[in-house]
């Protein structure tokens, strides 16, 4: 049986206490929410925090408030299943409901949290492997084993100086497309930022936050006629991570003319890829075949996946435009 | 009361949809699997595995590991240097690598500690020094680079085994052909992935000087022999016990490192030692499907009759022998079982590579060639403008005939199987009339009901059963039939219950314990129902004879009028005259003494006398036919198998629920092989030894399965019951591939047929090239000239002009 | 570090001395002897270690024993009462929904959780319920049948 390395489990009573613990312990500590990402990684010795700060008992992180009209606040400790079942999410923020419904598998939905999903570690075929496997490989930049990151190349692009691990969460692209913000609370205070600003284009330091900061809330703007959808490409209908996630959200005039559009891809870069230029092609247009063809071509030019997920790079690049087009077609109909 | 008799083909329990005898234990969580067992003072063992695909092992240092408090013993290859293998010609593995490692994951050291945490921690401290050697990761590489040799056991270079046989005169056959077609096909490797990881618990009793090993295994007899050899013990000093097994599929049939190491560590410490593999380690234990390249050339007459066929097979064997010699020959044996092939040549080569050893997986050695053949026949039918079903019908074998390679077909329900699936799927009305993207595909297959030859030569039975009737009326059957989920326990209980007039639940089974149960060779080659079944049938008939004799004497009823049924033995003329089963048992015990009978079974002598003729013969063959319906997406290459019709010639279903379960499970495994599963490597490493990366289909990929059981009379099988565990898998894979071709008008001549490959084939087509992906050449290799084998007389007579 | 944890499993209270890194799976199997809960990867992938926590399926390999204090854990051993199989278990046996039996404890539990919430599930809901547990033997066909058979049986029992 694969076992966890030893650690100390801290159980703060409040978010404030949790952030102070995290601040004090620094990189030796990690927050534990649903555990569905962190614990397997610890068993594979990709991560070995000496302290786990459990967020499970924190009532402040549970529940939601607001409405599609005023905007919706989802607290980070909601499980993915709760988010998927939330009536306002189902009616007004479809992309999110669809995204969390296809995260991993139905049992993990009940365990994983929204906050955990947004902070999901980046993934890579050279990183998400057992200790023995990675030792046989000679380690990698993101988890250099007994060596330092400088001594070990990125196995995806050995010539470069960065890590190319992939952002593969389903929640982030959907929420970014929906214009969500997140509230972070740290030992030194709190801040609200657009969700897309939480992510950095770096497989190792993929979150733009300090280790003591916790994602406590997701703030969805008023839905205001926004229509959205999420498509996920994976080999199997359960368990698999996204080799490509497509989140699309549009507002249209009554005649069908697009007034605003957001397109965000998961699974193709170290952060969710916001396709601003591509989306702008749609504004002022109706979702008609000719426009969609132009969008597809633009997607093909914008997407440059690396060879570190399921499916070949060529395949992912060829099919990304198809899936973006189909997402938009779904919204058009 | 209606009186039932065997010859009326009406039975009390045979053919009934009864619950399986191990159902209660399994559904309640009470079934004990090996890792569920603990013994007092038990230690936890751990293997240390190679991080190199090919290297000289310079040193393995245990000092640091042994210093960890709680570590009790540690060993290296020097402690277990004896070479072994299930195959007598193999003998190329050791429990721990001695001077060379040949794949990433090959064990180099083992240790035992008081708890699993300590064992894992200490394993990290074992210091291994390697001197890397070039690794050969596929067929082409291994054949192009004969030096350094991975083993020196084969004839030359990295060739492990060769086969080259010709039945009839293939060139003369081709000369008669109106049309000749040649195709190449590549079947990717895949693995069993049983849900239960392998586990072994070993206990050496120093007082009795006896080793007991509880292990998740499907061939306790071969393991028993192998353990004795590897450990330098007499066979009677070793006892192998198989608890509940969480799936096998051929993956728990070899002698495994962890079994020998647990035993050795127990012998060194005098304490029980358990080693349970992690999921990653199961992928290294492997013994799964050989990656295989096939070239098939067939000559046909204008009307579609086959006149000659030449099959070449290139098998990527991985790093060791395993069951490879049989796998190689199986690639050639089954084609003539489904179709009459007047002149047939088979040439094959198994090559060593630096990957976990390949071996027997469900269908052992036959799915690759079957898939290649059925795809090839589809293309031939296109060439000839014939319906693919029609082409097959014009070449079918029938019952009671000898194939050109000397295999004896008795019952044969293939034609009926084809009719069933063709009719149910609406093949004749729908094929060719479906919209682009939707397709139907067809294929046939055949499989053995038990290998006619044993793995080591002997003239002793392949299956033996003891049966005891006690004075309470209890019946206990002692059998080495190993229940791996396939239902062997229920099959044996059903046969005995039917003969004795009892219910399957009435039969106590003592299974798979080499001290208590007589020999059965193992749960492989779909042999248990027929072979153990016949032995159990014989033992039960002998017990029934004793009971009937005693009752006849007591009640003064002619023995011939007595029947055993409904837990009674009674006069069929006056059913109220009789005795309860328990009463009958007491009268019989009073009359004859202790009531114990035995039965044994040995398969018929093989008819071929050529080298390699030991692989292929079976007492009876099963036949299957399949139509698959797919919806394929031309933009993404995604294929959804929506419906699968399978008809299987079962002889007779002892229990239709269990038989259907085997068909449905076969469809699932075939689906994985056809579309997504692959034991693949990147550079020298397994691509992803995990459930996440190894793509076993989930419930969402499963198609609707429509199963037809075709019944035939099979005199060699108990109650006519033939196999079902493996045969139905074989036709499903090519049926899916043929359906993709029908849907998109392109060919993926390679499994798994992933969306990437489908899309690539479509792109080739769009560029004006042949819409196909698949191999385009064979590796640089020339086969030795074939051994010319005379054909059976029946073929020579058929060849005479009328 | 190690501390006494109060666990309620199948209605019974246990006090176990557990270090924080021990998972519920390990404690069930190795401390409480409840080996009916199986394991197949310990990474949250195969689902065969599923138990119910407060009636909902959870992968015991990814739950720390310390974190389930105060929650109700149900394992396969807790389903049968007075030697009688739970209707879900009976349906699995009668439908032939198990072969090697290794996924069966988990399958039975996810089925129970589903039918406790949704007495008359659609085919899609049944597929979703079992999608978190791998089966390598049955092709799921008879498992899906068993879930519906169990649903019928439970509805009849209530009616």
């Amino acid at each position: 049986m694969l076992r966890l390395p030893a650690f100390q489990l801290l159980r703060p009573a409040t978010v404030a206490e949790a952030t102070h613990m995290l601040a004090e312990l620094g990189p030796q500590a990690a927050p534990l929410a649903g555990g569905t990402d962190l614990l397997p990684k610890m068993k594979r010795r990709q991560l070995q925090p000496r302290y786990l700060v459990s967020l499970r008992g924190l009532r402040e992180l549970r529940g939601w408030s607001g409405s599609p009209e005023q905007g919706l606040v989802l607290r980070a400790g909601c499980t993915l299943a709760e988010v998927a079942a939330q009536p306002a999410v189902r009616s007004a923020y479809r992309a999110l409901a669809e995204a969390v419904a296809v995260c991993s598998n139905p049992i993990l939905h009940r365990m994983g949290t929204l906050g955990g999903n947004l902070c999901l570690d980046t993934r890579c075929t050279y990183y998400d492997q057992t200790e023995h496997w990675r030792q046989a490989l000679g380690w990698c930049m993101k988890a250099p084993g007994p060596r330092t990151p400088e001594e070990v190349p990125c196995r995806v692009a050995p010539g470069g100086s960065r890590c190319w691990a992939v952002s593969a969460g389903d929640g982030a692209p959907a929420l970014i497309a929906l214009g969500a913000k997140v509230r972070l609370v740290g030992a030194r205070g709190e801040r609200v930022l657009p969700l897309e600003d939480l992510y950095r284009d770096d497989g190792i330091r993929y979150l733009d936050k300090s280790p003591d900061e916790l994602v406590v809330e997701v703030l969805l703007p008023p839905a205001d006629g926004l229509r959205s959808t999420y498509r996920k490409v994976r080999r199997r209908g359960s368990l698999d991570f996204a080799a490509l996630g497509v989140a699309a959200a549009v507002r249209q005039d009554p005649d069908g003319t697009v007034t605003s559009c957001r397109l965000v891809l998961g699974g193709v870069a170290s952060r969710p890829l916001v396709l601003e230029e591509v989306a702008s092609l749609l504004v002022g247009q109706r979702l008609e075949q000719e426009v969609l063809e132009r969008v597809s071509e633009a997607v093909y030019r914008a997407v440059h996946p690396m060879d570190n997920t399921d499916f070949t790079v060529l395949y992912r690049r060829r099919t990304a435009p198809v899936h973006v087009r189909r997402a938009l077609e779904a919204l058009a109909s | 009361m209606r009186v039932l008799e065997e010859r009326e083909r009406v039975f009390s329990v045979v053919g009934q949809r009864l619950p399986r005898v191990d159902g209660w234990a399994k559904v309640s969580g009470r079934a004990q699997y090996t890792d569920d067992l603990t013994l007092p003072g038990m230690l936890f063992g751990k293997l240390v595995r190679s991080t190199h695909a090919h290297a000289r092992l310079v040193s393995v240092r245990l000092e640091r590991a042994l210093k960890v408090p709680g570590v009790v013993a540690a060993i290296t290859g020097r402690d277990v240097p004896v070479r072994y293998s299930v195959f007598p010609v193999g003998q190329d593995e050791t429990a721990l690598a001695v001077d060379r490692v040949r794949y990433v994951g090959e064990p180099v050291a083992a240790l035992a500690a008081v708890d699993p945490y300590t064992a894992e921690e200490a394993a990290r401290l074992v210091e291994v020094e390697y001197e890397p050697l070039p690794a050969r990761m596929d067929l082409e590489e291994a054949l192009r680079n004969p030096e350094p040799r991975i083993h020196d056991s084969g004839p030359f270079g990295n060739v492990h085994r060769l086969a080259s046989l010709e039945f009839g005169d293939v060139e003369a056959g081709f000369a008669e052909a109106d049309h000749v077609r040649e195709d190449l096909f590549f079947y990717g490797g895949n693995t069993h992935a049983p849900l239960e990881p392998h586990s072994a618990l070993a206990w050496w009793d120093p007082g009795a000087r006896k080793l007991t090993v509880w292990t998740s295994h499907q061939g306790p007899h071969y393991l028993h022999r192998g353990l004795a050899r590897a450990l330098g013990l007499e066979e009677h000093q070793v006892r192998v016990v198989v608890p509940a097994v969480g799936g096998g599929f051929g993956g728990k049939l070899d002698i495994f490192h962890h079994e020998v190491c647990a035993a050795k560590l127990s012998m060194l410490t005098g304490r029980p030692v358990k080693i349970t593999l992690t999921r990653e380690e199961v992928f290294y234990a492997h013994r799964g499907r050989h990656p295989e390249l096939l070239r098939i050339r067939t000559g046909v007459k204008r009307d579609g009759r086959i006149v000659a066929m030449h099959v070449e097979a290139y098998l990527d064997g991985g790093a060791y022998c395993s069951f490879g010699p049989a796998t190689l020959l199986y690639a050639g044996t089954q084609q003539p079982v489904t179709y009459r092939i007047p002149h047939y040549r088979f040439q094959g080569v198994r090559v060593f590579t630096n990957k976990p050893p390949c071996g027997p997986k469900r269908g052992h050695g036959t799915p690759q060639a079957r898939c290649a053949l059925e795809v090839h026949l589809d293309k031939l039918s296109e060439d000839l403008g014939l319906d693919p079903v029609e082409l097959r019908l014009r070449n079918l074998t029938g019952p009671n005939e000898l194939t050109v390679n000397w295999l004896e077909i008795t019952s044969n329900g293939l034609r009926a199987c084809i009719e069933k699936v063709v009719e149910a799927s609406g093949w004749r009305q729908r094929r060719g009339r479906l919209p682009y993207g939707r397709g139907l595909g067809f294929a046939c297959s055949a499989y053995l009901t038990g290998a006619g030859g044993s793995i080591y030569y002997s003239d002793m039975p392949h299956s033996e059963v003891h049966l005891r009737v006690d004075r309470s009326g209890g019946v206990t059957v002692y059998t080495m039939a190993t229940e791996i989920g396939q239902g062997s326990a229920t099959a044996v209980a059903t046969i005995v219950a039917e003969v004795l007039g009892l219910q399957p639940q009435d039969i106590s089974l003592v299974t798979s314990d080499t001290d208590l149960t007589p020999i059965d060779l193992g749960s492989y080659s779909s042999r248990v129902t027929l072979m153990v079944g016949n032995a159990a049938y014989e033992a039960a008939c002998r017990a029934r004879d004793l009971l009937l004799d005693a009752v006849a004497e007591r009640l003064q009823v002619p023995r011939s009028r007595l029947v055993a049924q409904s837990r009674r033995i009674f006069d069929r003329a006056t059913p109220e005259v009789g005795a309860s089963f328990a009463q009958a048992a007491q009268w019989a015990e009073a009359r004859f003494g202790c009531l114990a009978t035995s039965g044994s079974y040995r398969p018929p002598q093989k008819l071929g006398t050529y080298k390699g003729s030991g692989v292929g013969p079976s007492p009876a063959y099963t036949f299957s036919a399949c139509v698959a319906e797919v919806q394929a997406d031309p933009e993404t290459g995604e294929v959804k198998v929506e419906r699968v019709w399978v008809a299987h010639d079962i002889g007779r279903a002892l229990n239709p629920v269990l038989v259907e379960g085997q068909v449905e499970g076969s469809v699932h495994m075939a689906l994985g092989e056809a579309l997504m599963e692959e034991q693949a490597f990147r550079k020298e490493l397994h691509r992803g030894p995990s459930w996440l990366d190894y793509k076993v289909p989930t419930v969402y990929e499963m198609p609707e399965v429509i199963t037809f059981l075709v019944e035939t009379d099979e005199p060699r099988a108990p109650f006519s019951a033939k196999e079902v565990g493996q045969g139905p898998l074989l036709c499903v894979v090519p049926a899916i591939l043929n359906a993709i071709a029908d849907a998109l008008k392109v060919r993926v001549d390679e499994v798994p047929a992933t969306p990437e490959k489908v899309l690539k084939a479509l792109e080739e087509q769009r560029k004006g090239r042949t819409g196909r992906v698949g191999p385009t050449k064979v590796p640089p290799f020339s086969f030795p000239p074939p051994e010319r084998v005379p054909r059976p007389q029946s073929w020579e007579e058929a060849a005479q002009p009328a | 570090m190690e501390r006494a944890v109060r666990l309620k499993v199948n209605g019974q209270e246990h006090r176990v001395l557990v270090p924080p890194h021990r998972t519920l799976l390990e404690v069930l199997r190795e401390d409480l002897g409840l080996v009916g809960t199986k394991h197949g990867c310990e990474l949250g992938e195969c689902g065969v270690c599923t138990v119910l926590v407060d009636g909902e399926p959870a992968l015991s390999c990814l739950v720390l024993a310390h974190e389930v204090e105060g929650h109700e854990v149900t394992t396969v051993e807790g389903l049968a009462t007075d030697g009688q199989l739970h209707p879900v278990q009976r349906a699995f046996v009668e439908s032939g929904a198990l072969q090697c039996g290794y996924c069966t404890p988990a399958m039975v539990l996810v089925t129970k959780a589903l039918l406790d919430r949704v007495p008359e599930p659609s085919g899609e809901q049944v597929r979703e319920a079992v999608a978190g547990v791998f089966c390598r033997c049955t092709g799921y066909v008879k498992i899906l049948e068993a879930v519906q058979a169990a649903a019928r049986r439970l509805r009849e029992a209530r009616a």
Side-chain angles (χ1 to χ4, degrees), chain C residues 3-138:
Chain C
R3 74 178 172 87
V5 177
R6 218 184 285 274
L7 292 177
K8 193 165 181 195
V9 183
N10 301 329
Q12 223 181 321
E13 291 268 2
H14 301 268
R15 266 173 69 90
V16 204
L17 209 56
V18 186
H21 59 274
R22 275 179 78 74
T23 60
L24 178 59
L25 171 70
E26 291 161 12
V27 171
L28 288 172
R29 288 179 56 84
E30 294 168 354
D31 295 308
L32 304 183
L34 293 170
V35 293
T37 303
K38 302 304 176 202
H39 65 97
C41 68
E42 305 91 61
L43 293 168
E45 296 172 2
C46 70
V48 300
C49 68
T50 299
V51 298
L52 304 185
V53 176
D54 299 332
E56 289 292 338
L59 302 178
S60 63
C61 74
L62 297 186
V63 173
L64 303 179
H66 280 214
E67 300 254 278
V68 284
E69 257 196 318
H71 298 271
E72 297 250 358
V73 176
T74 307
T75 70
V76 68
E77 289 94 341
L79 287 189
T81 44
D82 306 329
Q84 295 292 307
L85 294 180
H86 186 277
V88 169
Q89 292 172 306
R90 286 223 303 280
F92 268 68
V93 175
E94 284 165 16
S95 307
L98 57 102
Q99 291 181 24
C100 85
Y102 205 73
C103 73
T104 310
M107 284 293 183
V108 166
L109 288 167
V110 297
T111 302
K112 180 185 184 298
L114 170 73
L115 298 182
D116 284 350
R117 270 187 293 118
V118 189
E120 213 162 329
S122 67
E124 195 43 44
Q125 284 171 313
V126 174
R127 267 192 296 278
E128 202 213 357
V130 305
V133 183
F134 277 172
C135 172
R136 187 58 160 164
C137 296
T138 66

Side-chain angles (χ1 to χ4, degrees), chain A:
Chain A
M1 232 195 272
L2 277 180
R3 313 244 173 193
L4 286 166
F7 54 83
Q8 287 197 34
L9 182 66
L10 306 176
R11 306 178 83 177
T14 63
V15 168
E17 196 186 335
T19 57
H20 282 103
M21 283 173 173
L22 289 166
E24 202 170 299
L25 298 166
Q28 300 181 77
L32 172 69
T36 60
D37 188 36
L38 179 62
L39 297 182
K41 292 207 151 117
M42 289 172 68
K43 288 185 178 183
R44 291 188 298 239
R45 303 300 192 271
Q46 291 159 271
L47 302 168
Q48 290 200 62
R50 291 177 54 197
Y51 301 89
L52 292 189
V53 177
S54 173
L55 309 180
R56 189 177 278 242
L58 302 183
R59 298 189 63 82
E60 297 159 81
L61 295 180
R62 308 290 305 187
W64 59 78
S65 58
S67 67
E69 294 72 32
Q70 305 154 343
L72 194 66
V73 179
L74 298 168
R75 282 184 271 284
C78 290
T79 65
L80 299 172
E82 286 164 357
V83 173
Q86 215 275 343
V89 171
R90 294 172 68 89
S91 64
Y93 305 99
R94 288 294 310 169
L96 178 60
E98 289 170 5
V100 292
V102 294
C103 273
S104 189
N105 75 39
I107 300 177
L108 289 161
H109 291 172
R110 297 198 173 81
M111 302 173 70
T113 64
L114 181 60
N117 190 255
L118 296 182
C119 296
L120 185 79
D121 193 3
T122 53
R123 300 185 50 80
C124 176
T125 44
Y126 295 99
Y127 168 64
D128 292 296
Q129 301 282 359
T130 64
E131 186 182 21
H132 166 264
W133 193 101
R134 291 180 293 114
Q135 187 190 356
L137 174 74
W139 313 104
C140 78
M141 187 186 277
K142 186 168 163 82
R147 300 157 76 182
T148 65
E150 293 70 35
E151 290 173 329
V152 191
C154 170
R155 300 290 170 179
V156 186
S161 56
R162 60 161 289 186
C163 161
W164 289 94
V166 167
S167 165
D170 297 298
L175 282 166
I176 293 170
L178 292 166
K181 294 178 176 172
V182 282
R183 185 187 307 279
L184 304 183
V185 175
R188 284 164 300 169
E190 64 172 72
R191 59 192 175 113
V192 172
L193 71 163
L195 177 58
E196 58 193 281
D197 293 347
L198 180 63
Y199 299 102
R200 306 180 67 227
D201 188 19
D202 181 332
I204 294 172
R205 288 161 295 274
Y206 60 96
L207 291 177
D208 201 354
K209 72 174 191 65
S210 60
D212 62 296
E213 282 184 306
L214 293 173
V215 173
V216 297
E217 278 176 357
V218 174
L219 312 164
L220 281 157
D224 193 18
L226 192 69
R227 300 175 62 234
S228 64
T229 190
Y230 183 76
R231 286 178 72 84
K232 178 171 182 170
V233 177
R234 55 176 169 176
R235 216 170 278 273
R236 298 174 292 186
S238 183
L239 190 65
D240 292 344
F241 284 92
L244 172 70
V246 178
V250 297
R251 276 194 189 84
Q252 288 162 288
D253 279 344
D255 73 345
T257 306
V258 173
T259 56
S260 73
C261 175
R262 299 267 282 170
L263 284 174
V264 188
L265 305 188
V268 292
S270 294
R271 53 171 296 170
L273 188 65
V274 182
L275 298 176
E276 269 176 57
E277 278 182 40
V278 179
S280 69
L281 295 174
L282 287 158
V283 176
Q285 309 283 330
R286 288 191 220 171
L287 297 174
E288 284 164 350
Q289 211 51 44
E290 187 202 337
V291 181
L292 296 183
E293 287 304 323
R294 268 191 288 139
V295 167
S296 294
E297 284 160 27
V299 170
Y300 183 75
R301 285 192 301 271
V303 174
H304 301 278
M306 303 292 279
D307 186 13
N308 58 349
T309 68
D310 191 14
F311 295 101
T312 60
V313 170
L314 189 68
Y315 178 82
R316 286 158 65 209
R317 196 157 177 229
R318 289 276 159 81
T319 53
V322 176
H323 290 288
V324 171
R325 195 197 72 223
R326 288 184 181 177
L328 292 168
E329 281 169 350
L331 291 177
S333 62

Side-chain angles (χ1 to χ4, degrees), chain B residues 46-66:
Chain B
K46 180 82 194 157
L47 301 177
V48 178
R49 292 178 182 268
S50 168
T51 52
H52 287 264
H54 198 189
R56 211 169 66 75
L57 201 52
V58 180
S59 67
V60 182
R61 299 175 64 92
L62 303 172
E63 293 81 356
R64 287 181 65 208
L66 282 165

Side-chain angles (χ1 to χ4, degrees), chain B residues 237-282:
Chain B
Q237 288 180 284
V238 179
R239 176 184 181 189
V240 175
V241 184
V242 180
V245 175
F249 314 109
K252 294 177 178 171
L253 201 48
D254 275 75
I255 299 148
F256 287 97
H257 308 98
H258 68 283
E259 292 167 327
V260 183
C261 289
K264 185 70 187 182
L265 288 164
S266 182
M267 291 171 73
L268 290 173
T269 59
R271 293 170 68 171
V273 176
K274 183 162 75 181
I275 302 181
T276 300
L277 301 190
T278 63
R279 180 52 52 188
E280 177 191 21
E281 289 179 293
V282 175

Side-chain angles (χ1 to χ4, degrees), chain B residues 339-662:
Chain B
Y339 308 116
R340 288 191 183 133
I341 306 169
H343 302 279
Y344 179 58
R345 185 189 295 156
F346 169 69
Q347 294 176 302
V349 57
R350 184 178 191 263
V351 176
F352 286 125
T353 54
N354 292 113
K355 296 184 287 192
C358 298
K361 186 191 173 200
R362 203 175 200 171
H364 190 190
T366 72
Q368 299 97 323
R370 172 59 59 188
C371 188
L373 174 64
E374 295 294 321
V375 167
H376 170 70
L377 290 181
D378 243 42
K379 296 180 187 174
L380 256 178
S381 72
E382 261 170 63
D383 293 351
L384 297 172
L386 268 178
D387 182 281
V389 172
E390 193 52 42
L391 176 73
R392 267 87 164 189
L393 288 172
R394 290 182 189 181
N395 289 287
L396 288 191
T397 55
N400 304 313
E401 64 179 66
L402 209 51
T403 68
V404 74
N405 55 339
W406 294 86
L407 305 182
E408 190 184 6
I409 300 171
T410 48
S411 56
N412 182 342
L414 181 53
R415 188 172 293 272
C417 289
I418 294 173
E419 283 165 10
K420 286 278 182 201
V421 294
V422 164
E423 191 187 332
S425 64
W427 173 274
R428 295 197 199 285
Q429 305 79 47
R430 297 171 66 219
R431 188 174 186 273
R433 297 185 181 88
L434 296 170
Y436 182 67
R438 179 167 287 271
L440 288 174
F442 173 83
C444 300
S445 60
Y447 198 67
L448 304 78
T449 305
S454 60
I455 283 170
Y456 63 92
Y457 175 76
S458 94
D459 53 7
M460 293 178 282
H462 289 205
S463 284
E464 299 167 343
V465 165
H466 292 329
L467 187 149
R468 193 191 72 147
V469 182
D470 67 46
R471 58 181 68 176
S472 72
V475 175
T476 309
V477 175
Y478 300 80
T479 168
M480 213 179 277
T482 301
E483 176 63 75
I484 55 173
Q486 87 282 39
S488 62
T490 304
V492 171
T494 300
I495 287 166
V496 171
E498 184 65 49
V499 173
L500 295 178
L502 301 172
Q503 289 292 308
Q505 305 287 353
D506 297 339
I507 313 298
S508 297
L509 291 165
V510 175
T511 60
S512 308
D513 179 329
T514 59
D515 265 14
L516 301 181
T517 60
I519 293 296
D520 177 61
L521 295 181
S523 289
Y524 67 92
S525 80
S526 274
R527 48 181 299 292
V528 174
T529 296
L530 188 143
M531 297 201 193
V532 180
N534 274 328
Y537 182 83
E538 187 174 81
C541 288
R542 286 174 175 164
R544 185 179 59 184
D545 286 348
L546 295 174
L547 296 166
L548 296 194
D549 283 347
V551 173
E553 200 175 283
R554 286 276 179 147
L555 299 181
Q556 294 297 305
V557 176
R559 192 185 175 289
S560 60
R561 289 218 316 255
L562 289 176
V563 287
Q565 197 190 300
S566 308
R567 298 186 173 119
R568 286 181 76 232
I569 290 170
F570 57 87
D571 182 353
R572 87 185 63 205
T574 44
E576 56 282 8
V577 176
S580 71
F581 188 82
Q583 179 65 72
Q586 288 170 18
W587 290 342
E589 191 175 334
R591 174 74 179 75
F592 302 110
C594 176
L595 293 178
T597 59
S598 294
S600 19
Y601 178 78
R602 103 189 61 215
Q605 278 288 326
K606 67 184 170 89
L607 300 175
T609 53
Y610 55 92
K611 190 168 178 287
S613 59
V615 171
S618 174
Y621 295 89
T622 61
F623 298 85
S624 314
C626 174
V627 171
E629 181 166 356
V630 304
Q631 181 68 46
D633 186 327
E635 282 189 309
T636 65
E638 289 163 323
V639 173
K640 170 81 183 149
V641 180
E642 295 197 337
R643 223 162 277 112
V644 172
W645 294 264
V646 187
H648 180 69
D649 166 15
I650 182 68
R652 175 180 291 117
L654 290 178
N655 183 327
V657 179
L658 270 66
V659 170
E660 289 160 13
Q662 289 303 307

